[in-house]
């Protein structure tokens, strides 16, 4: 299992991002900041995750999918510290 950070920059404020948010929810990703989500994934393939999500963003948007390690720090996430610690258990390193 691996834990991935999914982060995106929205270029077009009027674009409807409901499709992206619905897809992230269906993947059981957890929103930790406005445009950052954490996603535990057994396949361990950031490229596949990014390819999947690309269909749900506008052509001018930016997207990064990066594996997360256990060495992490945070302040004021949209989830509790306990929930973050649970997600960090999915890290491979």
């Amino acid at each position: 299992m691996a834990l991935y950070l999914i982060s995106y920059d929205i270029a077009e404020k009027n674009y409807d991002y409901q499709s992206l948010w619905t897809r992230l929810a269906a993947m059981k990703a957890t929103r930790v900041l406005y445009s950052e989500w954490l996603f535990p994934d057994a396949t361990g393939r950031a490229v596949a995750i990014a390819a999947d999500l690309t269909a749900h963003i506008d052509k001018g948007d930016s997207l990064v999918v990066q594996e997360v390690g256990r060495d992490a720090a945070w302040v004021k996430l949209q989830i509790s510290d306990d929930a973050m610690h649970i997600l960090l258990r999915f890290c491979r390193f």
Side-chain angles (χ1 to χ4, degrees):
M1 190 67 83
L3 184 63
Y4 290 92
L5 176 67
I6 299 166
S7 182
Y8 53 87
D9 280 339
I10 295 173
E12 179 58 52
K13 301 296 182 196
N14 295 326
Y15 185 79
D16 182 7
Y17 287 93
Q18 190 58 53
S19 171
L20 174 62
W21 300 324
T22 299
R23 178 64 188 132
L24 288 163
M27 294 166 55
K28 301 206 182 312
T30 301
R31 183 179 243 165
V32 294
L33 294 171
Y34 178 76
S35 60
E36 281 75 34
W37 299 64
L38 288 173
F39 175 56
D41 183 55
T43 64
R45 301 283 304 157
V47 171
I49 297 165
D52 179 5
L53 295 174
T54 298
H56 302 279
I57 61 174
D58 193 36
K59 63 181 179 267
D61 296 339
S62 301
L63 173 72
V64 64
V65 178
Q66 172 71 45
E67 187 170 355
V68 175
R70 286 186 188 99
D71 184 22
W74 58 89
V75 176
K76 298 182 184 176
L77 297 178
Q78 292 183 2
I79 61 173
S80 69
D81 287 350
D82 289 341
M84 183 63 179
H85 284 291
I86 290 168
L87 285 169
L88 287 176
R89 292 180 191 164
F90 293 102
C91 295
R92 296 191 285 190
F93 57 92

